[in-house]
Each structure stands twice: as C-alpha cells, then as structure tokens.
Amino acid sequence: MLPPRTLSTSLPAPAEQRRWRSQVLPTLRGTVLDVGAGPGFCGAVLDPQVSWLALEPRPGRRLTAAVRSRPRSRLLEATAEQVPLEDGSVDAVVCSTVLCSVTDPAHALAEILRVLRPCGRLVFFEHVAAPPGTAARHVQGLAAPLTRLLGHGCDPCRDTAATIYQAGFSAVELETLRTGGLLGRLVPVVQGQAVR
C-alpha cells in the first residue's frame, strides 16, 4: 500500500470530478460496474468497447436513457450492498461520490471485492471527512443531518479513505485533493484506485 498524497488544486470539487472522469474512466477495459450510476455521467466517457453495468437502486429517466443509448450496457436495479453479479465477473468498478451515501460502505466494498476479477481494480473519487478537530470537520458534523436528508443520504463525516484501506484490497493508491472554493475546504475529496 502506498502512503496517501495530498494535492492542491484551484478547481472546485465538481470540476475536479469531471476532470477525473475524463482522464481515468476512458482507460478502463472489459466489463465495468458503475456503482451508484446516478444519471449515467460515467458511462458517457467509458471506451465504446467496454461493457457498462450501471448499478442504481432507484434509476431515473436519464440513467435509463443513457443505458438504452449505449451498446453493451445493462441497468442493475440494486444497492451497492447487494450487487446482483457472480463472483469475479467484472474487470473494474467505478465509485464516484457514492460511498458517502451508501448504507454500509464496508459491506459495499466487500461486494465490490467479491465481484472483481483477480487483479481487477476499483477507481474512485469520493467525499471524505475533514481531519478531526478542524473547523471543517465541525461544520461537516453540523451539516450532516441536512446532507443525509437532502443529498441522497450523503454523510460528509465518513472516513471513506480508511474504509477503503481496511477493505482487503492488495494495493491502494490514494490522493487527497484540496480543491478550490469554500466547499473545497469543507468537503475534501480523495481519488485513486484499489487493486483486488
């Protein structure tokens, strides 16, 4: 496991997330599981030869349309904690701002490990808790009830980086981003990959 790095950027987190999608996702090959596929943004930038499996517990019209418009795509209406796939059946998994809102992140990561093939990888861009004792962490704690209610269950106080490290992957590469703007200080993000 590599030690985490911290990078600073002047871009706000949503712009960094779009940059991450455009740089990382086109490199994935084979069968790719998109956990918490949302409106289908990730499927739009995957290589056309990739088989895209869009996992979403309550798929909306935009995701349904995105899956229909892309060859080799399938919609899986399920939670991250109960992935309806066989063991070792996918080459890569994408988690893009989803582990902050699943009911049980450790269980979701166990499911991801289960469905990944040997040497398969999880690529992620996730919200994380600010360091303990900081003003940002205090604000996150105050905002958490509201974000869980209005942000699809998003809990800004989760230590998602630690959960990924403890999940049982053979290797984890992780970078913490200090993004620009007020929210960049209040809602830090991590990006990286973990190999089964």
Side-chain angles (χ1 to χ4, degrees), residues 3-183:
R5 296 184 325 162
T6 300
L7 301 174
S8 292
T9 175
S10 60
L11 294 174
E16 274 297 327
Q17 186 176 24
R18 287 190 297 275
R19 181 202 55 79
W20 172 83
R21 276 195 301 258
S22 69
Q23 290 181 350
V24 173
L25 301 189
T27 68
L28 302 178
R29 297 292 179 264
T31 301
V32 175
L33 174 64
D34 184 1
V35 177
F41 293 144
C42 292
V45 295
L46 290 169
D47 184 277
Q49 299 305 310
V50 162
S51 293
W52 176 44
L53 304 175
L55 181 80
E56 183 63 45
R58 292 174 303 282
R61 282 182 278 174
R62 289 179 69 185
L63 179 59
T64 303
V67 169
R68 281 191 195 132
S69 69
R70 183 185 161 88
R72 288 178 290 286
S73 297
R74 193 170 87 194
L75 181 61
L76 304 174
E77 194 168 338
T79 67
E81 295 88 354
Q82 295 183 331
V83 179
L85 295 172
E86 298 292 321
D87 295 359
S89 58
V90 301
D91 299 290
V93 176
V94 176
C95 280
S96 181
T97 59
V98 69
L99 292 174
C100 59
S101 59
V102 298
T103 302
D104 185 342
H107 190 180
L109 287 165
E111 278 290 273
I112 288 168
L113 272 167
R114 180 185 68 76
V115 300
L116 273 171
R117 292 187 174 113
C119 298
R121 64 186 177 133
L122 162 67
V123 295
F124 56 86
F125 185 98
E126 290 291 334
H127 300 129
V128 293
T134 62
R137 182 69 169 262
H138 180 70
V139 171
Q140 285 179 322
L142 293 173
L146 188 61
T147 62
R148 284 193 294 266
L149 180 66
L150 301 176
H152 303 287
C154 178
D155 184 349
C157 297
R158 286 190 180 165
D159 190 353
T160 301
T163 306
I164 292 170
Y165 275 118
Q166 296 164 3
F169 290 96
S170 64
V172 176
E173 297 175 13
L174 183 140
E175 298 173 331
T176 301
L177 297 180
R178 296 182 196 263
T179 57
L182 175 63
L183 290 180

